[in-house]
Structure formats: structure tokens, C-alpha cells
Amino acid sequence: MVENGIIQQNNSRLEEVLNELKEATKLTKAEKANKFMGQLDLLIDTQEGIDFVYHKIGEITEAGIFEGSVWNDTDKLVPALVNGTYKSGHPGSTIEVLSELRILAIVQKELKDENMGPEEASDFLEEVLVANLEFVFNEPLEETRLMMSEHELKKVHSLFNYISERIHLDGIKTKLVEELTLICEQRPVVTEKQRRIIALIKEKMDLDPESPVDAELLGFQNSIYCPTTGSKDKSLKEYKAYLSQLEEQELLREAGEASSTMLKYGLVSPYHGQLLLYLVKNGYDKAAYISLGVSAVGEAKWFQYQEYLTKLILETVRPYNCQCIYGLSNMLENGIISRSAVRSGLSNIRTITLHPKVENRISKSNIERDPEEKITALQYLVGALIRILGQPLGVGQGNNPTCQSARGISMWSQYAPGKLINLVMTAATHNDLTFRFEGQEITASLVGKGLVQKLDYNLDSVSVVLVGMLDKIYNEMMLRASGRLEDPHKWVNPALYGQWIQIGFASAYDYKYNAIVDFDGFVKIFYATSHPLYNGNHQVMYPNPVGIFVTTSTGKMLGFHAISLLRVDADPSGEMRAYFLNPNNEGRQDWGQGIKPSVFGNGELHGESSLPVNQFAARMYAFHYNVLEAENRVNDVPDEAVKEVRELAQESWGKSYNWIEINKKW
Amino acid sequence: MAQCFALMGWSLPVIESMQKINKPFVVVSFPDFENYAKENNIPFVPYQLNEWSDSSNSLDLAEKLKPFNVDVAVPLFEETVEWAGALNSLYRNDPRVLNRAFLFRNKAMMKRKALIGGLRVGLFEEVFNREGVKSFMTRLNEANLQLNGEEDSWVHIKPFASAGTVGHRLLRSMSDIDEKVEDDDFPCLAESHLSGQEFSCEAFVHGGKVRFLNITEYVRLGYSNFIPEGNYLNSKRDRILGEVQKLVDIFGIEYGMVHPEWFLTDKDEISFGETACRIPGGHILELAAKAYDFDALAAFVLCHDPSLTEDELQQILPPMDARPQTFYGNVMIYPHKNSISKLEIPEELKEEPYFLDHNLVPPMTTQKISDRAGFGNHFGTVNFKGEDPDRMRELLLHYENVDFYL
């Protein structure tokens, strides 16, 4: 009865303000809409409220609530923006709720929309759900919790509950598989995101192994919760006891199953950690290397360094510090473990005493918490270091403007792993770092702020140790190299990253003219040095630090970003693609003009992004090259190849600059 | 019927009302609005209304309005009262219409006129510096037979020509004069404090007669009011109407709307506070429109037209004796803290049957609240609707002190 009373009361209130909104012409629509939204805001923090508004959504839309706002045209709505809008609070979040309810009504065929049919609407909602799992499952991320009030959380949660009860979850299952695949194929060092989604699926969804989609989801789920036959329905403790009853043959089976799901998804289960420890402790050598999932090459390394590796595993691997097993597997496979500097570095670092501030940072970083809290910060750090050494392309910047530092960590882990370990050791012990720049020393603790104001700790433990300092040092180098009428990166990149960065530097943007000067020449140099068709069929040897313009999905200039060009190669279909490391780990980017970096399916190695090379060139503004080699080949690059790049560039970010057409001496 | 109304000042709700009743009009306002007007097909004459010079004056403006056949000018804001007065003087060929407009723009002149005509007013004086205010307070204390140690008599100072509560200061003691008064306040009007229930009237006047009277009960000046007036004030309605008609006669107002503020004491005396002839603040016409179910903005504009017929008048105005059964009230919300970071609508409000709506928006980021000038800018309004005026008064008083911004 009480409930009814409130709804009735709401009804009469809503009617009155809704009528005002209907009667308003476009002159006062915005003001009336504002008042109406204030009222809705109060109403929609319960399921009943949402239901009440849902049944009026046609009338509300008709009254013009969306008119003149970015929500007006359903075909211009972007699922990826929904999450941020909810976090922005009322009134944005309120109209966003209305927008989703309108689309739900289109799905349910209760509303017709000329720009969106029921199927598109359903696709849209599914995408929104997938991007907002935290709200669907009412498990807001820490950041979300901080940003949103309780009332706002209730609103959004009520909405997502309402929607997920009304649309088929089968659709979102496919999207979840896609999402998980997109993330896992990149093999990121930080695996929290996929682990979280998998945990939520386990908790909130009933999966039927007979259905193909469910089976795929089960695959992901099992990779963490049940990677082997023996781990089924057992707690970690029970599994440990169970292992001691097994014969070698059964242990080999467990090891084989654990390693194959690890290699398939790049995720390591705590059971796998438990298993490896048991195998190593009890001298089951064969099962041990099988559980690492290595080929004959890795197997040889295992036997070569068995004693060393046994010690390393026993000291570092724990069920809740197990992801490093995948890193270790890669280290054996790619031979990095064979470098004596790496082995001694990994021995040395296990003996250091962490600076208290560093210890604190590690404890805030992305680690899997051990319920018994027996894992030390140093163990987490070493585990993260092994992961980075094994997955150099999985390093991410999190929500930090530190693409420069992430790029550096990734490069060193491939080409100077000893140096990287040394940097981590120094930084972890002294909470400080020193670099040399043009004959002078730069010490992080003695220079001003970097780009990061407040570090987002959703990073691996190595990154939280290094990034703050690298960022300061990078910024100081930039300051010292500024005012030279050229892009400071020309000098900073080789100094920061190391001597394998080429000395030659081409920038499309000319500081002297404050314009894009001789873009054709710029593209020609890039092709003549990096494109196998024009550089004598040479390959890119070392990662090339490249500056790119990031553009919106409509091609508008958004900002600058640092990436590394790793290789230019033909993809399986024969198209020439640029393969690069993008430290922001985002698999769903859209840079406009149909330029959408892909992360798998086009010949990418795990962690690589790729674009057709002309599209890549069209977003680039700076790169390094070998001056001596470029000169011979520049004139061989055909004009048509340059023209297609130029057109893409001019019609997108190029609009933000003046273009000057002179030939300059590069 | 007027050939064309010149709306002096930019107000979207008024423009909307004029479009709805389909009367010819042209908006006169600052050039900033020209693009918007063009895009929305609003007849518009850009004019630098804050400038008076050889090239910016009423004769020049009248020329610019000629192509529109304007014959009635309507002041929407305090600052356009003289402009409308000057134009209407030309249109009606009566120079005193402009003088009357000046009356509304100089609070000292306004009071003097009221006093001469026999309205009850407080003691008042033009003051030019702090010493002047102090002498005024001293003489007031003497007149009130102050004994040693007794509190000073309260004095209000107000700029001669500002809307509503802007620049209004209440001085409760000699030391207040030193602390609260600023050099920029002078010259201004000083007046004695009037006690009693404050209310305002919105009298729609045509042919020198009040044709519809709305009484707005002030719950707290600058914070909250409701319409129609509560039962007690309503019992005095005839006397109030008498006073308002007297004011209209004294001031010689023929067409338009006046918005006088009054004080009713326990002894049943009605004192005149001040008056204006533009659209009142506090969303008063909005509330009146809802309570009496008429287009108050359109009525406001049309009453300025001398050629409006009796039929038209009756169509646009509610009857003189209307007494709505539903009361509409609002409370303006000001943050109470010096720094705010979020908006929180209290649960009790959601469940309040009288609650209608609000237009409060959350602060963008943590925001510092600057000192209030007059009553400052409110952050938004909460509207109520209900059948019992006493309950309404209670609610408005209560929500004035609730923290919406934390």
C-alpha cells in the first residue's frame, strides 16, 4: 500500500513537470528538462522507480528530453562513453539512464526509432553491459567507488539490474568471450581485469557446457579455478593434499593440463602454482618442465639451469604469486634466462632490502592478495620482474600519462634485461635513480615533478617502483633539451632508452615554422628506412620510439602518444602492416577514417598492435632513423604511396595545423 | 491591440509566451543575443542598453524600432525601466511617463512620492557617507527614546536603483556601520527597519485600475515565498487592494504591472516598502501562473498595451476574486558552507507529499562560495505544491536550513 502511495504520488508529480516539458518550446526546453531530470534523479534509485520511468519512456522521449543533447540521435550513441557518463553524476547520469531505457524499449519493440532497429538496439545494450560489468554485478571498481555517491551507485545498479533481467544474456556471453579474448590475446602483465571478469562470471552466471558460448566461457573460468582434472571441486589446501597421493603418471597429466591452459589464455591458476611448487620440491623434473609448457628449446634450458631455477621457483612462486610462471616459461623459451647478467641480477635482487616507501608502493600495486598475507613485497616484485622479462610486450601504463616510461621498461626487458634488473634494484633499494644526459647527471629525487600528478597504482609491481622516477627524469631531460627549435625527443629518446635508438630524427611538425613542413619528405624517409618494399627488404631491428597523433573516432586531433614500432611485415593476407607496442593496452581503439588498430587476428604476436602501414604512417609525427642509410633510398619511394598517407593525415589531425609545402633538407 | 511590443531585455520564457499567444513583438537587448535570435527566428534589435550617448539613446532606438511598428515598450528587467519609459513617452506623447519610470529607479524619490501621497512609510534619508548613516541612526535612536545600554535601532541601506535585494544591507548597530558598509555603497538610501509580515503584490494595471491582484506571501525575504497568500493575509485582501490602488493612483500608473513590497504589523498597519514595475524575482510569476492557471508573463506584457480591449483583458487575467485551492511555494537554495563538493537530496524531501521538483545541479568540482552580495546567487530552487498554506510555510522554513550542498 505504502509503495503504491509513493508511486502514485510520484506519478502526479512527474505528470505535472512532464506537462511543462511538453508545453515548452525549444526556447525553454533545456530549463524545463533540467527540472524534470532533477525529479527523475530522485525516482530512479530503485527497481520500482526504474520500472515506473521505463513505462513512460515513450512519452518522455516524445516530450523532447533528448532534444538538443548528444543523446538525441540514437545512431550517434557510443557504448564506450556510457561508463564515464555514469561516473560524472547527475544530470549526465540521469539522462544516460533515460537513454538506456529508451534503447531497452526499442529492443522490446515498445518504441520505434528511425535510426535504430531492435537488433541494433540489442547489440548496443549488450555492448554497454559488457563495458559496465562492474555495475551489472554491483562490484564497482575502487575508482568508481571513490567517484560516485551512494545514490548514484544505486541508480546505476538499479538500471543495470533492470536491463539484465530483460534482455537475453546469451548475447552478452558472446561479448564476454570477445572481450576476454581481446584482453587475453594481448597477454598483459597485469591480469586483474580478465581475472575480475572471470570471477564475476563464475559468481553470477550459470554456464551450460553443452552450449558452445558457455563452453568458451568455461574455458576461461577453468583456466583460473580448475585448470586440471585433479583440481576440480577442490580447495587449494585439498589440492595440495591430493597431489601427494598421485603417481608420476598422474602428475604428468596435471602438469600437461595446467600448462596447456596457461599457454592458451596467458593466465596462471593458483592451483598451477601449488602444483609447480610440489613438483619442484619433490624432484619431479619432467613434470616440472612440462608444467612450464616449454618446447624442446625451453626443456634444454630447464636442464641447463635446473638448480638455479629450482631455487628461484621455491623462493618466488606462491599460489597467489603464480602469474610469474607464465613469464618464467617465456624466459626459458626465448632464451633470456641464458644471459648471465639476467641470472645474477635475479639472484641479487632477491637479497636486497626494500626502501620502506617502495615497499608501500608495491603493496598498493596490482598484486593478487594472499589471504594469509605470507607473500612479501620483495616476492611480489621479483614475480613481477619475471613476468615483465617473459612478456616484454605486456607492459602497460594503466591510467597514467606515462607511455614513455612503459615503453622504456618494455624495450629494456627485451634488449637490455640486465640493465632493467639493475634499475629495479637500485630504485627499490634507494627509492631513487640517476641517468646521464649529455654529460650531466639527472637524479630523480633532485628534479621537479614529472607528468604524473597522482599515480594510478593499477600497475605491476615493477612499474610502480620505476615509473614515478623515470617520469621525472624524462621530464627533466625534456626541459633541458627544450628551446632548441627542434623536438626535444630527438635527444631525449636516445638518452633515456639507450644507444640502440637511431640518432637521426624526423618530425612532421617543424618548430621553427610552427607548421607541418614537407610532409611528403617525412613519409618518404619513413618508408625508405622502415618499409621492406622500399628499404631493401630490411627489417626493423630495434624498437623505434615513434610519436603519434591520437585522433577521435571522427578523426579529430586528440593528443600525443608514445609507442614503439616493432616491425613492418606482411600479414597473413599479404597486406603490409606496421606492428607496434601500444602501452595503453586498449584493444578497442578507433582513430577515425576507418583506422582501428587491431590486437589479434592480423598476424600480431601477443602484445602487439597493428595497422596497415599507410594508416600507421598517417598518424605518425616523429620517429628515429639512420641518416646515412636513408639518403640513398628516399627517392625510390613512389609518390602514390606517399599520397595516400598524406590524404589521411590532412583530413584528420592535419586540420589542426598549417601545412607548408617546401622541400626541406632532412 | 498594439501593433508591436518591444520587449526590453532578453527573457526566453517571455519570448516563448509571446510566441504562444501569437502577438507581434521585437526583442531589444545586447548584441550578444543576436545570433541566437537569428537562429531561432526571434525578431531582434541589438542595442547597447548600458550606454547612453549621441548614438545610443531613446530617440535613436525609437528610429530602429520603427520598421517593426512598435507602439508599446515593456520593461522586463530593472535596468530597462527607463528605456521603456522613454519609448512609451514617445509612443503616448506624454513626457511624464518617463518621469514615472525614474520614480521606480530612485528609491528615495519613490518613498518621497509615497509619503506625499499618504502611504505609510518608514523614516528615510539619502546618505552620502558613513557619517551620514551614523547620524541617521543617532536621530532614529533619539526618536525611539533609546536609553543608555539599549540596542541601536536597525537601519537598512539600499542603492537607489538596484533590483530586489542587491546591495541591501541591514545594520543593527553603530559598529555594523563600520564593519559592513563599504565606500562603494554611497550615495544610497538609509531607512528605518519596518517590522511585520512581509509580502509583495503583483498588481496588473490597465487604465489606471488594478485589474488583477496577486499577493505573494514572503516566508523569508530572499529565500522563500508562496502563492496565493495564506489565510491571514487573505483576510486582509480588500485593505491590501485599497493600498495598492492608492499607490497606483499616487504614482499615476496607467498600464503595466507594479510589484510593491509591504509590511503588515500586528496592529494591522500596512507600510509601504518599495516597488518595481518589471518582472519580479524569486520565480514569483512562475508560481502565480501555476496557482491561478494563467499565462502571467503574457499578461504582464499585454497590460502595457493601452489599446487592449476589455474582452482581451478578461481573457488573459484571472478574475479579481479568484482564490485557488492549491498553493505553490518555493525555497531558494544557498550553500551554507564555504566549500562544497557534492549535492545530496535528503530522503525526507523525496517522501514529502508537497514536494514538486527541484533544479539543483551538483557542483562541478569542489567549489568555494564567495561572499554573498545582497542574497547572492542561489544554486537552484525547490518547488512545493499543496493544499494547506500553514504546512507550506512550515516546509519552506524547514528546507531553508537543510544542507543540500555538502
Side-chain angles (χ1 to χ4, degrees), chain A residues 122-133:
Chain A
S122 163
D123 283 350
F124 180 90
L125 277 190
E126 283 165 10
E127 270 191 60
V128 168
L129 286 185
V130 172
N132 290 280
L133 291 174

Side-chain angles (χ1 to χ4, degrees), chain A residues 6 9-10 12-13 16-17 20 23-29 31-32 34-39 41-43 45 88-91 149 151 154, chain B residues 12-13 15-16 19-20 36 39-40 42 286 290 328 342-345 347 349-362 383 385:
Chain A
I6 288 179
Q9 186 182 308
N10 282 333
S12 81
R13 270 180 210 170
E16 181 155 352
V17 186
E20 279 184 40
E23 280 166 19
T25 68
K26 96 179 193 218
L27 301 184
T28 58
K29 201 67 131 191
E31 188 203 324
K32 299 280 173 9
N34 181 21
K35 237 164 64 170
F36 184 58
M37 301 247 289
Q39 209 186 38
D41 167 48
L42 301 180
L43 193 57
D45 65 355
S88 75
H90 177 77
S149 69
H151 169 68
K154 272 200 213 156
Chain B
L12 287 175
I15 297 169
E16 187 178 65
Q19 286 176 342
K20 280 187 181 163
Y36 184 95
E39 280 163 23
N40 291 281
I42 297 167
E286 244 171 75
K290 282 188 186 169
Y328 282 83
K342 61 175 179 181
L343 168 70
E344 227 172 72
I345 309 291
E347 283 295 317
L349 181 67
K350 288 197 236 173
E351 282 150 27
E352 170 54 55
Y354 275 33
F355 168 63
L356 179 59
D357 59 39
H358 76 83
N359 65 355
L360 301 169
V361 285
N383 287 306
K385 170 195 176 186

